[in-house]
Amino acid sequence: MSINEAMIFAAGFGNRMLPLTKLKPKPLLKILGKSIIEHQIEKLIDLKFKNIVINAHYLSDKIISSTMKFKPVVKVIVEKKILETGGGFRNALIKKKFFNIEEPKLLINGDIFWMDTKYPSIKLLIDGWNKNKMDILLSLKKKKEFFGYNGDGDFDLVNPRQKISKINKKNDKPENVFTGLQIAKPSLVLNNGNQNFSMKQIFFSLIKKEQIYGLSDQNPFYHIGTPDDFSKIKDKLIK
């Protein structure tokens, strides 16, 4: 099965990135001459994605104008209020922004940046998808290899030697970090009665069911949490 529809989450305020996000949304910050979201869209188009939905709220007019050149593959849906990632995905499905609401979708956090130096990370995730086993497949990065990341991590893989393993959060400082790339079945959010909710709430509810999986990515990912992070990333990539 080929996954060829995606959603990019770009509605957030980016408060931690102030003052850089005072006049533009975080996904429009530029790295290597292009905005973060432009890098993401081009990766998707290179992989022949037919439909890319972007949700916007904060400075939505700038998201719309900056992605205009990618029409008709790209369409922007403006949220009147922040719905978070799960609510945003559900809203796009309800408003029929996808061609097929039954098939799984690739979801991308609009503020993540990575380099496809070894292979296309999106293709790796799609190739690892198994609709019979999985409700969600997350792209994970070892936190010690995640440039600029200083947190405690998100998940442990049950068998780290397998590309795809069940995810199990058992300790306080898991080895892997969620990169912001995932594949998810639409039914997970369509069946949620809430209007405003995060995809992370779904992650943890699926752990006990053993229907959420993780795949370790070897490409370089860059954590953009603060203006200082952003400056260090740009310096590293210029060198």
Side-chain angles (χ1 to χ4, degrees):
M1 178 191 62
S2 177
I3 296 172
N4 57 22
E5 292 193 274
M7 182 165 185
I8 300 175
F9 301 117
F13 293 101
N15 289 330
R16 290 183 62 204
M17 291 296 291
L18 286 169
L20 299 181
T21 51
K22 185 176 181 180
L23 300 176
K24 66 173 65 176
K26 188 176 175 183
L28 296 187
L29 296 177
K30 289 189 175 183
I31 298 176
L32 297 176
K34 296 178 184 178
S35 69
I36 296 169
I37 203 167
E38 189 173 357
H39 283 288
Q40 295 176 348
I41 292 169
E42 289 182 349
K43 286 181 170 72
L44 291 167
I45 290 175
D46 285 345
L47 291 170
K48 311 300 182 186
F49 271 69
K50 295 180 180 179
N51 186 30
I52 303 167
V53 180
I54 302 172
N55 69 333
H57 174 76
Y58 175 61
L59 299 175
S60 59
D61 57 322
K62 295 193 174 183
I63 295 286
I64 292 169
S65 61
S66 67
T67 58
M68 193 81 69
K69 63 183 178 180
F70 296 110
K71 281 188 170 185
V73 177
V74 170
K75 60 187 71 161
V76 178
I77 179 170
V78 178
E79 298 173 351
K80 293 182 179 179
K81 63 178 182 179
I82 294 286
L83 300 175
E84 296 188 62
T85 50
F89 184 27
R90 182 175 182 272
N91 183 55
L93 288 161
I94 290 171
K95 293 192 173 179
K96 300 181 179 179
K97 297 299 180 180
F98 295 101
F99 299 144
N100 188 332
I101 66 168
E102 303 294 330
E103 297 293 348
K105 308 299 176 217
L106 178 82
L107 308 178
I108 306 178
N109 292 352
D111 59 355
I112 64 168
F113 180 75
W114 74 96
M115 303 284 284
D116 286 335
T117 57
K118 297 180 181 293
Y119 43 71
S121 286
I122 291 170
K123 186 176 185 302
L124 181 76
L125 204 62
I126 292 172
D127 290 345
W129 174 256
N130 184 327
K131 66 177 180 180
N132 298 317
K133 286 185 177 181
M134 305 169 184
D135 282 342
I136 288 179
L137 175 61
L138 303 180
S139 168
L140 302 177
K141 186 74 181 171
K142 291 188 183 301
K143 61 185 179 184
K144 62 183 180 182
E145 299 171 1
F146 201 154
F147 183 85
Y149 182 80
N150 296 307
D152 290 335
D154 296 318
F155 301 103
D156 277 326
L157 292 173
V158 171
N159 185 347
R161 286 175 291 183
Q162 295 179 358
K163 281 188 176 180
I164 304 171
S165 302
K166 298 169 190 172
I167 296 174
N168 192 354
K169 189 174 182 182
K170 286 186 175 179
N171 56 44
D172 293 329
K173 294 186 177 181
E175 184 180 17
N176 300 284
V177 181
F178 171 47
T179 65
L181 286 172
Q182 63 179 298
I183 293 173
K185 291 181 177 177
S187 58
L188 293 170
V189 296
L190 284 173
N191 296 334
N192 192 309
N194 298 317
Q195 189 179 34
N196 182 325
F197 62 96
S198 169
M199 289 298 295
K200 282 192 174 182
Q201 292 172 236
I202 297 175
F203 295 173
F204 297 116
S205 70
L206 289 177
I207 289 174
K208 291 181 181 179
K209 297 179 182 178
E210 298 185 346
Q211 290 172 310
I212 179 168
Y213 285 69
L215 189 154
S216 185
D217 197 308
Q218 303 305 309
N219 278 327
F221 277 77
Y222 301 87
H223 184 260
I224 308 171
T226 66
D228 186 52
D229 292 338
F230 188 58
S231 178
K232 288 177 180 177
I233 289 167
K234 290 197 296 182
D235 288 345
K236 177 178 176 60
L237 293 175
I238 289 172
K239 291 177 182 177

